[in-house]
Amino acid sequence: MRLLPSLVLFARDLRTQKLRTFFALLGITWGTAAVVLLLAFGVGLRRFQSRRLHGVGDGIVVAWPLKTSLPFEGLPKGRPIRLRVDDVLKLASEIPELEAVCPELSLWDQPMVYGGRNDRAYVGGVYPCFGNLRYIYPQSGGRFLNEKDIEQRQRVIFIGDGIKKELFGDGEAVGETVFIRGTGFIVIGVLQPKLQSSSYGSGPDDRIAYIPASTMTSVFGQRDVNNFVYRAKDPRQQAFVTRRVYQVLARICGFDPADTETLFLWDASETNKFIFYFFLGFNTLLGLCGVFTLLVGGIAVANIMYLLVGQKTSEIGIQIAVGAKRRHILTQFLLQALVLVAAGGVAGLLISWGLTYILGVVPVPEELGVPEMSPIVCLVTVVLLGGIGLLAGYFPARRAASLDPVRSLGFGGL
Amino acid sequence: MDDNQFMVLRDVTKVYPMGDTDVQALRGVNLQIRAGEFVAILGPSGSGKSTIMHILGCLDTPTSGTYHLDGVGIQGLDPNELAEIRNSRIGFVFQSFHLLPRATACENVELPLVFAGVNAADRRTMAERVLEQVGLGHRMRHLPNELSGGERQRVAIARSLVNGPSILLADEPTGNLDSRSGAEILALFEQLHAEGRTVILVTHDESIAQRTQRVISIFDGKIQPD
């Protein structure tokens, strides 16, 4: 209640400074919109890139067996490591810290035939847990491989949406039979289209087909594991789990556990870290650009407040004479600056909201992502506005509160 | 010291630094004023009479010497304590009125109540009552530039009275007024004194000083013997 009259009088004071008030408000509005829009753009871009990155699977490690680089128990270096499915499955029972591990048998460039149409694609022989590790999810009406498929060596196949389009067009694929080198496989599922920026060896997932590993061995005679994929239960234990993988395989295959050349590792969580820091830096930079614009608006507000303090010296003197304490004068000018900044801030937020809404509706290049006014962006902006309002108000207010009443009433000391 | 003394200045000096030199505004002032007195402080321009008023009104503090108001030593108090004393016990009236130009008569009178923490509704009622008391009941919603000089000074007097202070300090209150308005304002001060307030008029005009009970002459920063 006590602050209300001060604001009413403030509004009347501002009427004497219409042009300056207009430009200060414009500055704050512009600055707010700059901060919000740049950050919204950054958040949208980051979300898009991060979804693409996670298309291959989140926090997974892919390992390829290579050759030994150290002699071991009388055997020379340079021996190729050959892994069988059972060797990899043993990892799951020996390392409780693993969430899942899945061997992958590989056949490249296989001819696939359906009716009169044909295509060529990579075929992976995998286990059911592969789906969760690599974010391979079926479209509705289909499924990924299950345990029964493995046990009974079913001739079933899960195909990428790219292959499906090539072989079936817009027709239904599930339940149909696709032939690979003369053997028929029943389609059990089609991949949900996904964003994916990284893949390994076998190409993007829309161009991959999967069959049970056991079926691949029995039908095509494929026994050696091309690679295996694993993920730790706790991402912080990834390095420990990887050490254990070397130890267990070294015992099974007979190599030096310190010989890290035996496996080539691709750790997707490392890329994760990179993308996190990259976008942290990128968004900080964008935010700083906005902040500087906002600072210019803040300086305009401080300028008005200094002007008013100068103009109203004798009025401040009267207030002190009739009993205003230092804090009364301080809060009065601080509040006025905050109100001015808040007015510009609200206008800026409304404009940004309108613009992000429009950008969400009109078509923009997909790679840019969709600008998003996330709660964190709004929170950052409001905190910035508050800080700038306090700064813009504090210094003029401090000058006002430290005025000497006798001098400011125009007695000049005598 | 007489126990009846309400405002007591003892060996008060005031020095203002002005560039390289110091200006000696007061040179050892001793002065006692009793509660309820009607006093004029008379002196020419630059004599130090305004400085005495500022010290008596707790707007300023002495460079040396002591000031006791109702038994309380003023020199040890901090600015906030001085502000409280000014707000609750002292009313100021200035030669050039010193009203807030963009606030109505009523809002100007409410100002001291704002700092006393009175709520808006009570402020309005109290301000209106005092404005009626000084004969401005019909001008409450006017801005200062819509009022005559005499009316503005009445608004300023209403503002000085609204917190119910026991001391009124007026610095050349009729200096900017025509003789008729000036006479009315002086009559108002006489009435306020009659109601029991301590009224101190600072003036250079001997004829105004003669309207009071006691004239204190000041020249060159010193009190002249009565």
Side-chain angles (χ1 to χ4, degrees):
Chain A
M1 276 328 281
R2 193 184 300 178
L3 296 166
L4 206 62
S6 130
L7 287 180
V8 172
L9 294 178
F10 177 55
R12 293 182 205 160
D13 288 336
L14 285 180
R15 246 179 265 163
T16 67
Q17 300 292 338
K18 283 197 185 94
L19 198 65
R20 278 194 175 81
T21 306
F22 172 73
F23 279 113
L25 282 173
L26 186 71
I28 294 290
T29 305
W30 186 291
T32 306
V35 170
V36 172
L37 288 175
L38 286 171
L39 286 179
F41 168 75
V43 167
L45 187 64
R46 181 190 159 170
R47 170 152 309 196
F48 179 81
Q49 294 297 345
S50 156
R51 257 177 64 204
R52 253 170 47 146
L53 179 88
H54 289 158
V56 73
D58 203 359
I60 58 168
V61 178
V62 185
W64 288 264
L66 298 174
K67 286 185 281 195
T68 60
S69 66
L70 298 170
F72 180 70
E73 293 184 349
L75 296 165
K77 63 179 186 179
R79 281 181 302 128
I81 304 293
R82 297 182 66 192
L83 285 178
R84 293 295 169 91
V85 169
D86 287 347
D87 301 333
V88 175
L89 294 182
K90 220 168 267 171
L91 290 172
S93 52
E94 299 241 354
I95 309 173
E97 290 82 5
L98 271 176
E99 178 199 314
V101 57
C102 181
E104 183 171 0
L105 307 175
S106 302
L107 289 171
W108 282 269
D109 204 30
Q110 297 298 304
M112 299 178 133
V113 182
Y114 172 74
R117 301 191 191 215
N118 53 64
D119 196 3
R120 299 186 83 86
Y122 169 92
V123 180
V126 297
Y127 280 73
C129 63
F130 192 80
N132 267 329
L133 282 169
R134 290 267 285 95
Y135 292 171
I136 309 278
Y137 298 123
Q139 294 178 16
S140 70
R143 64 171 178 86
F144 194 63
L145 308 173
N146 62 26
E147 293 298 338
K148 213 165 150 195
D149 297 332
I150 301 288
E151 279 166 30
Q152 301 179 358
R153 297 175 194 174
Q154 302 274 20
R155 295 186 184 178
V156 291
I157 190 163
F158 181 94
I159 58 176
D161 48 315
I163 299 171
K164 186 257 172 191
K165 199 158 193 144
E166 202 63 42
L167 291 181
F168 298 92
D170 292 330
E172 186 57 53
V174 174
E176 301 297 317
T177 303
V178 170
F179 286 89
I180 301 173
R181 290 200 254 154
T183 306
F185 291 84
I186 297 172
V187 176
I188 52 167
V190 179
L191 178 71
Q192 264 181 30
K194 64 176 176 178
L195 289 163
Q196 184 182 355
S197 63
S198 51
S199 59
Y200 56 91
S202 37
D205 291 346
D206 67 326
R207 298 290 311 153
I208 294 180
Y210 294 105
I211 61 174
S214 54
T215 312
M216 187 171 273
T217 307
S218 64
V219 174
F220 300 108
Q222 193 70 18
R223 289 175 197 284
D224 287 343
V225 168
N226 177 67
N227 65 71
F228 58 95
V229 183
Y230 63 89
R231 178 160 58 206
K233 281 177 185 151
D234 180 346
R236 288 167 296 184
Q237 287 195 311
Q238 195 82 285
F240 169 77
V241 165
T242 297
R243 260 204 320 281
R244 291 285 296 136
V245 165
Y246 275 108
Q247 288 169 2
V248 173
L249 290 182
R251 207 183 63 229
I252 296 168
C253 306
F255 60 82
D256 188 335
D259 187 354
T260 53
E261 303 279 302
T262 50
L263 294 174
F264 176 78
L265 298 179
W266 179 60
D267 189 341
S269 61
E270 290 294 319
T271 327
N272 252 357
K273 263 184 228 160
F274 168 78
I275 208 103
F276 174 80
Y277 287 112
F278 176 80
F279 274 102
L280 189 66
F282 185 71
N283 287 345
T284 307
L285 196 71
L286 285 184
L288 276 180
C289 292
V291 167
F292 280 114
T293 321
L294 201 50
L295 270 181
V296 173
I299 289 168
V301 171
N303 178 281
I304 287 195
M305 297 314 295
Y306 269 123
L307 199 86
L308 287 181
V309 170
Q311 245 177 18
K312 301 191 359 156
T313 301
S314 78
E315 293 180 39
I316 296 161
I318 301 164
Q319 297 191 28
I320 297 174
V322 303
K325 294 178 185 172
R326 203 180 138 81
R327 70 181 156 85
H328 288 128
I329 307 288
L330 260 177
T331 49
Q332 183 182 334
F333 282 93
L334 262 183
L335 189 79
Q336 291 172 359
L338 280 172
V339 163
L340 209 53
V341 167
V346 166
L349 280 169
L350 284 177
I351 289 172
S352 318
W353 182 79
L355 281 176
T356 46
Y357 179 77
I358 291 168
L359 282 176
V361 172
V362 299
V364 286
E366 199 188 24
E367 288 70 29
L368 286 179
V370 180
E372 191 182 313
M373 274 180 76
S374 64
I376 188 82
V377 167
C378 294
L379 187 74
V380 165
T381 310
V382 169
V383 168
L384 277 174
L385 281 171
I388 279 178
L390 284 178
L391 275 181
Y394 176 71
F395 294 100
R398 199 181 55 171
R399 176 181 290 184
S402 57
L403 284 175
D404 172 10
V406 172
R407 278 167 198 261
S408 54
L409 284 172
F411 288 100
L414 283 176
Chain B
M1 190 174 73
D2 188 341
D3 284 343
N4 284 334
Q5 300 304 347
F6 184 50
M7 305 164 93
V8 182
L9 295 180
R10 239 172 236 292
D11 302 323
V12 164
T13 68
K14 184 69 191 178
V15 179
Y16 289 108
M18 285 266 185
D20 295 340
T21 54
D22 288 343
V23 174
Q24 192 95 39
L26 296 179
R27 305 163 186 269
V29 169
N30 288 291
L31 178 63
Q32 286 112 35
I33 296 170
R34 275 191 297 276
E37 266 193 299
F38 190 14
V39 182
I41 297 176
L42 177 68
S45 165
S47 60
K49 60 187 192 299
S50 288
T51 304
I52 288 192
M53 189 191 94
H54 296 147
I55 290 174
L56 287 174
C58 300
L59 263 182
D60 213 344
T61 47
T63 305
S64 70
T66 61
Y67 169 34
H68 285 83
L69 172 61
D70 204 8
V72 177
I74 294 304
Q75 50 288 331
L77 301 182
D78 67 27
N80 281 342
E81 290 168 316
L82 293 176
E84 258 168 45
I85 292 177
R86 290 197 299 272
N87 187 256
S88 60
R89 311 190 62 169
I90 298 167
F92 287 97
V93 178
F94 301 99
Q95 179 175 6
S96 48
F97 322 131
H98 281 314
L99 300 174
L100 302 183
R102 281 174 292 282
T104 63
C106 196
E107 286 164 345
N108 264 292
V109 175
E110 284 180 40
L111 194 63
L113 299 173
V114 170
F115 303 123
V118 178
N119 71 49
D122 290 352
R123 281 205 302 266
R124 184 51 50 98
T125 323
M126 290 164 81
E128 285 174 356
R129 196 168 54 218
V130 185
L131 276 167
E132 264 158 29
Q133 215 177 312
V134 299
L136 278 181
H138 57 299
R139 309 290 268 170
M140 293 196 261
R141 304 285 171 263
H142 289 70
L143 292 175
N145 61 12
E146 298 163 342
L147 300 172
S148 72
E151 286 171 329
R152 289 185 209 180
Q153 198 58 300
R154 282 167 192 273
V155 173
I157 291 170
R159 180 179 66 191
S160 73
L161 292 174
V162 73
N163 260 1
S166 56
I167 304 161
L168 277 187
L169 293 168
D171 190 2
E172 304 275 11
T174 60
N176 280 4
L177 301 179
D178 60 71
S179 54
R180 206 182 119 214
S181 305
E184 284 170 7
I185 295 295
L186 282 179
L188 189 52
F189 278 118
E190 279 167 354
Q191 183 200 325
L192 294 169
H193 164 246
E195 287 168 10
R197 290 180 186 82
T198 310
V199 178
I200 302 168
L201 291 184
V202 173
T203 182
H204 67 282
D205 184 338
E206 205 149 339
S207 66
I208 291 171
Q210 293 315 320
R211 301 275 294 265
T212 66
Q213 295 171 329
R214 177 183 166 199
V215 176
I216 298 161
S217 293
I218 181 161
F219 186 77
D220 201 18
K222 282 186 190 140
I223 304 267
Q224 307 298 301
D226 288 359

